[in-house]
Amino acid sequence: MRGARETVAKALALECMRAAKEQERDCYVFAFAGPLEVREVELGMDMPSVLRLLDFLEALFNGGSDFNEPLKRCLDRLTEAKWANSDILLVSDGELRQPGPDIMRKLSGAKEKLSLRVHGLIVGSPEKKRADPAVLRALCTNYLPNGKVELCLSEFEGWASVQADTALAFDWDDVEGNSKRRLAGLAHEKQRTEETKRKRKESRGSGG
């Protein structure tokens, strides 16, 4: 996803960190796009986590929604004691393919053995209802110990506040606009990287 939808997804990551902090818990973010394009960010309650979050919020992805790799990494993380009781929250524009059969089997096993609950949020488009929730519906269907079936899937509906922001007012499928925003974002990320390197160099110099 790109543009305002990407902004909404990142805002949700920020809110997850805030909620985790209130509960004195950590959270782990997997930002993903095309095949093998996955960025991992562990967010705790310390300043390095805040800096990692800022880097994540300023990063850009190429679009696409390949769930195989991020889901695999999520399930691998659940084998660690620290994350064994975690839930998974999937945020997508709905334009994705179902993960492969091996991943689906592992996901089903985690739901059964670890009581894993998978939640989903569809961040579609206010003007073009292209999102097909079929894949997310399958992923976010949980089977409870009492035999009941629980579907934890919602759709973002707060577009009025998003569209009121003039910085986000653009055609959702404007290829030229997407390219300009991406180039501007890359330039900003490069500038931030150079600034970080400069500060580290100054820090090493003052420490010597």
Side-chain angles (χ1 to χ4, degrees):
M1 66 179 75
R2 295 173 179 170
R5 288 178 287 183
E6 180 181 332
T7 300
V8 170
K10 290 179 176 179
L12 182 61
L14 183 60
E15 174 61 19
C16 285
M17 182 181 181
R18 186 198 64 78
K21 185 177 185 300
E22 286 187 353
Q23 301 172 26
E24 297 185 352
R25 300 173 60 185
D26 293 343
C27 62
Y28 210 102
V29 178
F30 295 89
F32 61 94
L36 300 181
E37 188 177 1
V38 182
R39 177 175 294 187
E40 299 184 32
V41 185
E42 183 172 357
L43 303 176
M45 295 180 287
D46 53 6
M47 184 53 65
S49 291
V50 174
L51 296 177
R52 287 195 294 270
L53 177 63
L54 291 175
D55 287 337
F56 161 72
L57 293 175
E58 293 183 350
L60 293 172
F61 283 78
N62 289 321
S65 295
D66 188 313
F67 265 17
N68 282 283
E69 186 62 21
L71 260 185
K72 177 181 179 300
R73 296 191 190 188
C74 279
L75 295 173
D76 289 344
R77 189 69 56 182
L78 291 176
T79 61
E80 301 177 14
K82 179 179 179 179
W83 304 101
N85 295 321
S86 302
D87 290 342
I88 293 178
L89 171 62
L90 301 173
V91 182
S92 172
D93 55 14
E95 300 171 16
L96 70 160
R97 299 175 183 175
Q98 181 165 305
D102 289 343
I103 299 296
M104 293 301 291
R105 278 195 296 269
K106 290 180 179 179
L107 181 63
S108 178
K111 289 181 179 181
E112 180 180 351
K113 297 176 182 177
L114 301 175
S115 298
L116 171 68
R117 297 174 69 201
V118 180
H119 305 260
L121 176 66
I122 300 174
V123 184
S125 165
E127 299 152 351
K128 303 173 183 179
K129 300 296 183 180
R130 297 178 298 177
D132 179 3
V135 174
L136 276 175
R137 187 179 297 274
L139 294 170
C140 300
T141 297
N142 306 303
Y143 301 91
L144 305 181
N146 60 10
K148 293 184 178 181
V149 178
E150 175 187 54
L151 177 61
C152 299
L153 181 61
S154 303
E155 185 166 0
F156 179 76
E157 297 178 346
W159 291 114
S161 60
V162 174
Q163 290 179 307
D165 189 337
T166 56
L168 299 175
F170 56 82
D171 185 339
W172 294 84
D173 292 312
D174 176 13
V175 176
E176 181 180 358
N178 281 337
S179 298
K180 288 181 179 178
R181 279 185 296 278
R182 179 167 177 76
L183 289 174
L186 289 173
H188 180 68
E189 189 170 357
K190 180 180 178 181
Q191 183 180 11
R192 178 177 172 79
T193 300
E194 291 175 349
E195 179 67 12
T196 301
K197 289 180 179 179
R198 183 184 66 79
K199 289 183 178 180
R200 288 176 178 172
K201 184 177 181 180
E202 290 179 353
S203 178
R204 286 196 298 268
S206 61

